[in-house]
Amino acid sequence: MTQFEVLSQILAVTAPVFSMVVLGLLLKRMELINEQFIQTASALVFKATMPTLFFLSLWKSDIRHSVQFELLAMFGISTLLGYLASWLWAMRKVTRAQRGVFVQGSFRGNCGVMSFALASSYFGDFGSSVGGVLAGFSILIFNVLSVLVLSVYSSTLEFRWRNVLKELATNPLVVAVVLGMAASWFQLELPVWVNKSANYFADLTLPLALICVGGTLSWFAVRESGVAAMQASMIKLLLLPVGGCLLAWLLGFRGRELVILWVFLASPTAAGSFSMAMGAGADGRLAANIIALSTFLSIFTVTLGMYGLSALGH
C-alpha cells in the first residue's frame, strides 16, 4: 500500500467524524440549531442514546477481548503522567486562578464521543467494544482527577470521595458499560425486535453528539484563545499522546492497540470540562477557549498521528 493510499484510508475514517463537528458549527451559525437544541440533544445523548450504544457494543462482543487490562493500565498511566506534567507546568507558567482549568484542559479528553467514534469507525466491532470499555474507564479517572485539581484552586468546590463515587455510580455511561459487560458474560438474549429497535436508537448517538460538539464551538474563542489555552492544547494534543504512545511502544504495544491508545490520548478537551470549571467558580472563558482550540487543532493532529502509526506498520 502506497503512502497516499494509507493517508486516504485514514482520512476516510477521520474526515467524516470531524466533518460532523464542522457541520454542527455551521448549523449553529445558520441558526438551524440553537443552545436549547444543543442542551436537549446533549442530554439525550448522555442519558440515553450513548449508554444504549455502549451497552450494545459490549453485549455483542467477546468480553475477553473487550477488557484489555494492559491497554487500560497504559491509558491510566499516560493520563496520570500528563496530569502531573501539566500541573507542574501550570505551577510555573500559569496564574493561580487559572491553574485548575489549565490542568483539566490539558488531560481531560473527549473520549466518549470523538475517540469512540474514531475507534469504532477504524476497527469496527473490535474498536467499538474496546473503545466502550476505555471510554467508561476514562470517565472514572477523568472525574476523580478533575475534581481533585479544581478543588485545590477553588473556594467553592471541596473534594469528597463520597460525592465523587456517588456521581460515578450514577453516571449513565459507566452503568451502561458495566451492564454491557455483564450481558456479554452471561450471554444475554434479547428479542429480535428489541435488538433492532435498540440499534436504531443507538445509531442516533454519534451524528447527534458530534453535531452538538460543533454547535458549542466558537470562532471567537479560537481567535481569542491566548497563550494559556494554546499551551494546554499542545499538552493535550501532542505531549500527552506522543509521550504515552512512545512509552507504550517501548513496553511492547503494537498494532491496533497502539492506534486505539493514540486515538484516546489525542482526543480534544472534553466539553464537560467547561461545566466543571464553572461549577468550581473557575475561569470559564479559559475552559471554553481550550475546548474550542483543541477541537480545531485535533482535526490535524489526530489524523497525522494515525497516519504516522499506520505508515510505521501499526
Side-chain angles (χ1 to χ4, degrees):
M1 184 179 294
T2 66
Q3 295 302 308
F4 177 76
E5 290 173 331
V6 171
L7 181 59
S8 297
Q9 185 181 40
I10 298 298
L11 287 174
V13 174
T14 60
V17 171
F18 289 112
S19 67
M20 296 302 292
V21 175
V22 174
L23 177 61
L25 177 62
L26 294 175
L27 291 175
K28 178 71 179 301
R29 289 183 62 86
M30 296 168 63
E31 299 184 352
L32 293 177
I33 62 175
N34 54 27
E35 291 295 337
Q36 184 177 1
F37 171 86
I38 294 171
Q39 291 177 6
T40 302
S42 296
L44 176 64
V45 168
F46 176 71
K47 296 179 180 180
T49 66
M50 187 169 286
T52 303
L53 178 61
F54 281 9
F55 174 84
L56 292 176
S57 298
L58 293 168
W59 168 53
K60 296 175 183 177
S61 69
D62 184 342
I63 197 66
R64 293 170 298 179
H65 295 153
S66 300
V67 182
Q68 300 201 7
F69 292 104
E70 295 85 356
L71 187 59
L72 291 173
M74 195 69 250
F75 176 80
I77 292 170
S78 300
T79 299
L80 183 59
L81 290 175
Y83 175 76
L84 295 174
S86 63
W87 200 335
L88 288 173
W89 179 269
M91 291 175 66
R92 296 182 57 191
K93 301 292 185 179
V94 181
T95 63
R96 180 178 177 83
Q98 293 183 325
R99 286 175 189 169
V101 174
F102 180 91
V103 175
Q104 182 184 220
S106 299
F107 83 92
R108 183 170 187 154
N110 197 344
C111 296
V113 178
M114 305 294 289
S115 301
F116 181 82
L118 290 167
S120 59
S121 297
Y122 200 38
F123 293 113
D125 291 340
F126 176 83
S128 296
S129 58
V130 174
V133 174
L134 261 177
F137 179 68
S138 73
I139 295 170
L140 301 178
I141 191 170
F142 287 166
N143 276 276
V144 173
L145 295 180
S146 292
V147 173
L148 176 59
V149 70
L150 288 171
S151 65
V152 169
Y153 299 104
S154 172
S155 59
T156 60
L157 180 65
E158 182 179 355
F159 183 87
R160 291 183 178 179
W161 277 109
R162 179 185 299 177
N163 294 340
V164 174
L165 293 176
K166 180 180 178 181
E167 181 181 342
L168 293 175
T170 57
N171 187 295
L173 302 181
V174 175
V175 173
V177 169
V178 173
L179 292 179
M181 292 168 61
S184 174
W185 180 266
F186 292 107
Q187 298 183 340
L188 176 69
E189 295 291 338
L190 293 176
V192 175
W193 71 269
V194 173
N195 184 20
K196 195 166 186 177
S197 298
N199 276 282
Y200 283 154
F201 189 61
D203 286 343
L204 295 171
T205 302
L206 296 180
L208 196 56
L210 293 169
I211 286 174
C212 288
V213 170
T216 61
L217 299 183
S218 166
W219 289 122
F220 176 79
V222 173
R223 292 195 304 269
E224 300 297 321
S225 292
V227 175
M230 177 61 74
Q231 291 175 345
S233 298
M234 290 299 97
I235 292 173
K236 181 68 198 72
L237 301 178
L238 294 178
L239 179 63
L240 177 56
V242 171
C245 286
L246 178 58
L247 178 60
W249 183 81
L250 292 173
L251 293 175
F253 282 77
R254 300 289 188 272
R256 56 188 181 181
E257 286 79 12
L258 191 59
V259 176
I260 288 178
L261 182 65
W262 169 269
V263 167
F264 273 80
L265 290 176
S267 62
T269 303
S273 63
F274 174 78
S275 58
M276 287 203 68
M278 294 300 291
D283 191 338
R285 181 177 181 181
L286 176 60
N289 289 348
I290 295 172
I291 293 167
L293 184 61
S294 65
T295 301
F296 173 74
L297 293 177
S298 69
I299 297 174
F300 308 99
T301 57
V302 171
T303 301
L304 291 175
M306 293 178 68
Y307 169 73
L309 289 173
S310 296
L312 292 172
H314 300 285

